[in-house]
Amino acid sequence: MAAAVLGAGLPLEARTAKGDKFYAAGKSHENKKEWDAALENYQKAIGEDPADILYQMGCDRARFQASQMHVDAGRKIRASGQLGEALLEFQKAYVINPGSITAGQEIGETNQMILRERQRVEQTGRQTPPEVRALTPYQEAQRRDGERMGRLLALPELKPAESNPVDLHVTAKTKKVFETIGKIGGINVLFDPEYTEPTNQITVDLQKATVEEALDYVGVITKSYWKALSANAIFICNDNQNKRKDYEDLVTKVFYLQNVFQPTELQEIQQILRTGCEITRVFQYSAGFSLVVRGEADRVELCSKLLRDIDRPKSEILVDVLVMDATTTFSRQITAAIASAGLNVPATFTPRAGIQVQQNSSNSTSTSSTTSSGTASGTTSSGTTSGTTGSSSTTGTMVPLANLGRISSADFATTLPGALLQAALSDSRSKVLQAPQIRAVDNIKSTMNIGERVPVATGSYQPGVSGVGVSSLVNTQFSYQDVGVNVEMLARVVENDEIYMHLKIDVSQIDGYQSQGGSEGVSEPIFGQRKIEQDLRVKEGEVALIGGVTKQQDDLTVTGIPGLMKIPFFGKLFSGRSADHSTDEMMIVLIPHIIRRPQYTEDNLRTIAVGTASAISLRHAPAKPMEIVVDGQIPARVDSAPAPPLPGAPQGMAAPATAPPVAAPEFPGLPRPPAGPPATAPPPGADSAPPAGKTARIRFNPLQMETGVGGVATVSVVLEGASDVASAPMAIHFDPARLRLDDATAGELLASDGQVPMLNKSIRNDAGTATLLLNRPPGLPGVSSPAGVLVKLSFHALSPGAATVAISSLAVRDSQGQPISTGSPADLTINIR
């Protein structure tokens, strides 16, 4: 009865044999991460027994995982730019688990992306690259913001028409000198209305100086400040604090520090910028380890230079810590003797029956009398004792004098010594090797604790209400102490591959326990420990012995009968000998290895000019012209250099001006765009005939084939007699009642030169249509071949009958975007038995 009651309250693993079979199959698929098949079997098991809780749990688990699997697959497909197939995966995820918020969100985002792509195709007549199509609405908004931010202008850079060094010899007023330099460099010179030039003329004699250098020289001798307003205009004013404050441009920059991990480091860097660059507007964002700096352009650029030098990857080291402990215990006991522990022969008085005796007890302070009755045996008797006091006493057997005559040797007994033969040898050795590794960043403390945490009583308190029976453990406070190998290290990599380390090593263990506070007290552990705290500097890979302890103990014990044990040779029969020898050795060894070294370049170590004590000003060397190598030659001028050849293109072939257009794709799950003129149709009035030499022929291979229901029919779309083929978008139409298109793959024609073509496919088996966008990568020339396969189609036969496959539209184009005539291909017929 009890079993029946308990069984009614607990779920059973299987209610039916068939449900159990489906459940086991679902469990097997679940172990293989085949979530669709697992969900299908769990649903079948629930169909057999809807009340089984195990079936329901398995179904819910598989439903969630299967839905998430399709969501992940959809995201991966969408990242490659295939929006239609991604939408199908998200829809499958939503059908499997309608409660999936993620699937619903992904469907909405993908629909927006498809509509956005359709609008782009309608506006431009071509499809965007896959990486652009794969951007979600949020990512697209971020991209637009990034482009807008990228159009923000930096400070104008002066670009004079004459960039070569010139010779300047002039004597004139200050404004005239500046205007002369401006005419040489082809730049406009503007003066502050409040600009005051010196009354005297100045003489400027410069040789091989650039325009910027000439402006700097004149500004120094006339105490003038100039700034670029554009690439060909400058503004000049008097150089004083007020004018600089009015006209010196401010810039803002965010510095993201990649090698700072502590808030204190961020504060130190902030202080360096404020004092070293004399800039006050420095704000730190501790969560992102970044600094926002606002100030004059030269000061902010100096901050950038200092942070470039300071924010370097820190060095790292790996230290092998070897703690070796070896213990040896040797014990030897050899005894072959009579009375090896000494001679102890007691004589015991055991009176016989009939001899009257009394027990006598005496002490130093008082005497008590004992009355005995009965027969005494040995030294014990029965009786009554009263009035016994004192600190020590002796007990003996009293015999009346009248009975002395009756005593004989039969009333005494003794124990004779026995012989002992013992030969024991014990040799025990134990070795303990602990070899942990600790990795540390330069100048950051690292700790490692290997062992146990042992509670230790640290204090006690008196409870407010005292009572009997309260354990002392209730009133005791405990702390925990690490026992084992405890390492604390602060390391720094210095020059010549040397490492400086500050070490604290504690090797401890529990040697025993000591009770505190009586029987109900606390048992305190007794720790044995070896501590080392040391500063050392070692080479990388050097074996450093930082500590060692050796403990050796010898014990020799000799026992025997005095006098007899000294007899030569025979004395061993009356003595015993025991020898113990123990050795305990411990050694701590460190072997450091440098994982990352500090990297300082010449730029980090060189000195730069930063202006004067009153104003920070940076000077730049002329920028070197960019060198472009074309066919192994460096052209004289960059602006006249031809475009470099494209990868995989023959020598002398430049990139096309525009990418070849592609047909608008079809996306399942959404209504088609309104009908209009095809993208490949020429404008009215244009010559529709293709250029000479661009004729070709398209056909199926084979044109007719036969298969059974459930069979697979693989056909190819072949292009013959075409040259410079770059794209071939097409639309396929088939009978959905008899055929299902499983897959379409690119053929070898567009990949004949080793370049992988791009194939975007949208298959709608319910409507019997498929859109295949086949293109070579943009910028590459087309391919030429007498005949080759464009795409391969794999159909699955569904029902018997004759099924027709046709190419409803095709637009083969060359690398310049010009159409290639192919004619109308014949239809493919598949006879299904």
Side-chain angles (χ1 to χ4, degrees):
M1 183 65 181
V5 173
L6 291 176
L10 297 175
L12 299 178
E13 293 188 0
R15 301 295 178 90
T16 63
K18 196 171 183 181
D20 186 30
K21 180 180 178 181
F22 287 131
Y23 178 79
K27 200 69 176 177
S28 175
H29 287 294
E30 180 179 343
N31 295 333
K32 299 176 183 178
K33 307 300 181 183
E34 299 171 352
W35 297 110
D36 287 339
L39 178 61
E40 181 181 357
N41 282 275
Y42 286 143
Q43 289 175 338
K44 290 180 181 179
I46 291 179
E48 297 294 330
D49 190 353
D52 195 299
I53 187 64
L54 287 181
Y55 299 168
Q56 296 175 8
M57 291 173 60
C59 186
D60 291 341
R61 184 171 59 252
R63 179 178 290 109
F64 173 80
Q65 295 290 352
S67 175
Q68 190 62 36
M69 179 187 68
H70 285 288
V71 169
D72 295 339
R75 289 172 175 170
K76 185 176 181 180
I77 295 174
R78 189 176 64 185
S80 64
Q82 303 178 23
L83 304 182
E85 294 185 1
L87 181 61
L88 290 177
E89 291 292 334
F90 294 139
Q91 290 173 344
K92 290 179 183 178
Y94 188 78
V95 170
I96 291 174
N97 185 13
S100 174
I101 299 177
T102 303
Q105 292 175 339
E106 297 293 350
I107 290 175
E109 285 188 352
T110 308
N111 283 329
Q112 295 178 24
M113 296 165 65
I114 292 175
L115 291 175
R116 181 189 67 199
E117 186 62 23
R118 281 183 177 170
Q119 294 174 359
R120 289 175 176 171
V121 172
E122 292 173 0
Q123 293 173 0
T124 62
R126 65 186 60 187
Q127 198 172 12
T128 56
E131 60 271 12
V132 178
R133 293 198 304 269
L135 296 177
T136 63
Y138 176 73
Q139 294 171 339
E140 176 67 16
Q142 282 188 321
R143 184 186 66 83
R144 291 196 299 267
D145 290 343
E147 290 180 350
R148 184 177 179 84
M149 294 298 104
R151 294 198 300 272
L152 290 176
L153 297 178
L155 290 179
E157 183 180 355
L158 188 64
K159 295 182 179 179
E162 180 59 48
S163 59
N164 296 324
V166 296
D167 296 336
L168 179 63
H169 307 278
V170 61
T171 300
K173 289 292 190 69
T174 302
K175 287 187 177 181
K176 191 65 176 177
V177 173
F178 276 118
E179 290 172 351
T180 302
I181 298 174
K183 290 180 181 179
I184 294 175
I187 58 178
N188 301 315
V189 181
L190 304 177
F191 290 95
D192 181 18
E194 300 178 358
Y195 179 73
T196 304
E197 64 176 339
T199 57
N200 299 329
Q201 294 183 345
I202 60 173
T203 300
V204 178
D205 188 1
L206 300 176
Q207 295 181 354
K208 296 182 179 180
T210 63
V211 174
E212 292 91 338
E213 291 174 345
L215 292 173
D216 289 337
Y217 298 155
V218 177
V220 169
I221 64 178
T222 62
K223 295 184 179 180
S224 301
Y225 166 70
W226 71 272
K227 57 175 286 188
L229 296 180
S230 64
N232 61 347
I234 63 172
F235 174 80
I236 300 175
C237 65
N238 294 112
D239 190 3
N240 55 58
Q241 211 170 31
N242 293 331
K243 288 298 181 181
R244 279 187 174 265
K245 185 176 181 181
D246 292 339
Y247 293 111
E248 196 167 12
D249 293 318
L250 300 182
V251 296
T252 299
K253 188 172 183 179
V254 181
F255 297 97
Y256 300 95
L257 306 179
Q258 303 297 322
N259 302 286
V260 175
F261 309 107
Q262 302 293 333
T264 55
E265 296 180 84
L266 197 62
Q267 295 173 2
E268 291 176 358
I269 293 177
Q270 183 181 10
Q271 187 64 26
I272 290 174
L273 298 185
R274 285 178 174 174
T275 56
C277 302
E278 297 181 5
I279 190 168
T280 58
R281 300 177 184 92
V282 181
F283 311 97
Q284 70 177 25
Y285 176 52
S286 300
F289 288 99
S290 56
L291 295 173
V292 181
V293 180
R294 178 174 177 264
E296 294 80 0
D298 285 342
R299 297 178 190 268
V300 174
E301 190 170 2
L302 180 59
C303 292
S304 179
K305 171 65 171 65
L306 293 182
L307 289 178
R308 187 181 182 89
D309 296 338
I310 293 174
D311 188 25
R312 310 290 297 176
K314 294 182 175 61
S315 305
E316 295 184 49
I317 66 170
L318 180 69
V319 180
D320 294 322
V321 182
L322 304 180
V323 180
M324 294 173 284
D325 194 351
T327 302
T328 302
T329 303
F330 178 82
S331 178
R332 182 182 61 187
Q333 295 180 356
I334 299 177
T335 303
I338 300 174
S340 60
L343 188 60
N344 184 10
V345 182
T348 306
F349 177 59
T350 55
R352 294 164 295 164
I355 299 179
Q356 197 174 19
V357 296
Q358 292 182 354
Q359 296 295 329
N360 179 34
S361 297
S362 62
N363 51 56
S364 59
T365 58
S366 63
T367 304
S368 62
S369 61
T370 302
T371 304
S372 301
S373 63
T375 304
S377 174
T379 59
T380 61
S381 63
S382 61
T384 302
T385 304
S386 61
T388 304
T389 60
S391 59
S392 62
S393 63
T394 59
T395 303
T397 303
M398 298 180 63
V399 181
L401 295 177
N403 293 333
L404 288 177
R406 300 181 181 180
I407 296 176
S408 65
S409 59
D411 297 326
F412 294 90
T414 185
T415 303
L416 296 178
L420 175 64
L421 176 60
Q422 180 179 5
L425 182 64
S426 175
D427 188 359
S428 63
R429 299 181 183 182
S430 62
K431 295 181 180 180
V432 179
L433 172 63
Q434 292 180 332
Q437 289 182 330
I438 180 170
R439 183 168 179 168
V441 180
D442 188 84
N443 208 31
I444 295 180
K445 185 175 69 173
S446 300
T447 59
M448 179 179 62
N449 300 318
I450 302 176
E452 302 174 343
R453 292 178 60 84
V454 179
V456 179
T458 57
S460 61
Y461 63 92
Q462 182 67 30
V465 180
S466 60
V468 181
V470 179
S471 174
S472 61
L473 296 177
V474 179
N475 308 329
T476 305
Q477 298 174 345
F478 291 89
S479 65
Y480 287 84
Q481 181 171 334
D482 294 321
V483 177
V485 179
N486 305 310
V487 180
E488 182 177 311
M489 180 177 65
L490 181 68
R492 185 177 175 220
V493 179
V494 293
E495 59 182 357
N496 300 325
D497 291 340
E498 292 187 352
I499 303 170
Y500 166 80
M501 291 183 290
H502 176 76
L503 286 168
K504 290 183 180 179
I505 299 180
D506 181 1
V507 182
S508 58
Q509 72 280 344
I510 299 177
D511 289 343
Y513 289 90
Q514 182 178 2
S515 179
Q516 302 288 340
S519 59
E520 295 184 357
V522 180
S523 182
E524 290 282 351
I526 301 173
F527 297 103
Q529 61 182 6
R530 302 174 179 91
K531 287 187 176 181
I532 295 176
E533 182 172 355
Q534 188 173 354
D535 293 289
L536 67 158
R537 182 167 175 167
V538 294
K539 279 273 191 180
E540 179 193 11
E542 180 182 346
V543 179
L545 176 62
I546 65 171
V549 176
T550 301
K551 179 183 177 181
Q552 183 173 345
Q553 181 176 350
D554 293 313
D555 296 325
L556 178 62
T557 304
V558 179
T559 60
I561 302 176
L564 296 181
M565 59 183 295
K566 298 294 184 178
I567 300 176
F569 184 76
F570 293 102
K572 295 181 180 181
L573 298 177
F574 304 98
S575 63
R577 183 180 294 267
S578 175
D580 296 322
H581 174 76
S582 62
T583 302
D584 188 4
E585 297 183 26
M586 192 203 72
M587 185 169 57
I588 300 177
V589 177
L590 297 182
I591 306 175
H593 308 278
I594 298 178
I595 304 300
R596 185 197 299 271
R597 289 176 170 81
Q599 298 178 351
Y600 302 111
T601 63
E602 186 178 353
D603 270 351
N604 302 133
L605 302 176
R606 70 188 182 93
T607 303
I608 61 173
V610 295
T612 63
S614 59
I616 291 180
S617 176
L618 302 182
R619 298 164 56 188
H620 300 81
K624 295 181 180 180
M626 183 183 301
E627 296 181 350
I628 300 178
V629 179
V630 180
D631 295 337
Q633 301 295 327
I634 300 178
R637 295 182 60 89
V638 176
D639 52 5
S640 63
L646 295 170
Q651 295 292 339
M653 181 171 292
T658 58
V662 297
E666 296 183 5
F667 299 99
L670 291 179
R672 297 185 180 183
T680 58
D687 187 7
S688 59
K694 298 290 184 179
T695 58
R697 176 172 175 262
I698 192 79
R699 63 179 176 86
F700 284 107
N701 184 27
L703 285 176
Q704 188 172 2
M705 62 184 309
E706 185 175 350
T707 185
V709 175
V712 177
T714 302
V715 297
S716 302
V717 178
V718 180
L719 181 64
E720 298 177 343
S723 61
D724 194 22
V725 180
S727 64
M730 66 183 72
I732 306 294
H733 181 75
F734 56 92
D735 187 358
R738 290 184 170 87
L739 293 176
R740 182 180 73 231
L741 181 56
D742 291 336
D743 195 13
T745 57
E748 66 275 6
L749 176 61
L750 297 187
S752 58
D753 60 346
Q755 300 293 333
V756 180
M758 299 182 297
L759 176 60
N760 293 331
K761 49 192 174 183
S762 176
I763 302 174
R764 297 183 60 188
N765 284 305
D766 55 344
T769 60
T771 301
L772 308 178
L773 305 178
L774 182 63
N775 300 277
R776 283 176 58 79
L780 294 182
V783 296
S784 302
S785 178
V789 177
L790 285 175
V791 293
K792 295 181 180 180
L793 307 175
S794 179
F795 291 96
H796 187 84
L798 301 178
S799 60
T804 302
V805 180
I807 300 178
S808 57
S809 65
L810 176 65
V812 181
R813 293 182 177 272
D814 60 12
S815 59
Q816 303 300 323
Q818 299 297 325
I820 300 176
S821 178
T822 57
S824 300
D827 296 342
L828 165 68
T829 302
I830 300 178
N831 296 316
I832 305 174
R833 300 187 302 274

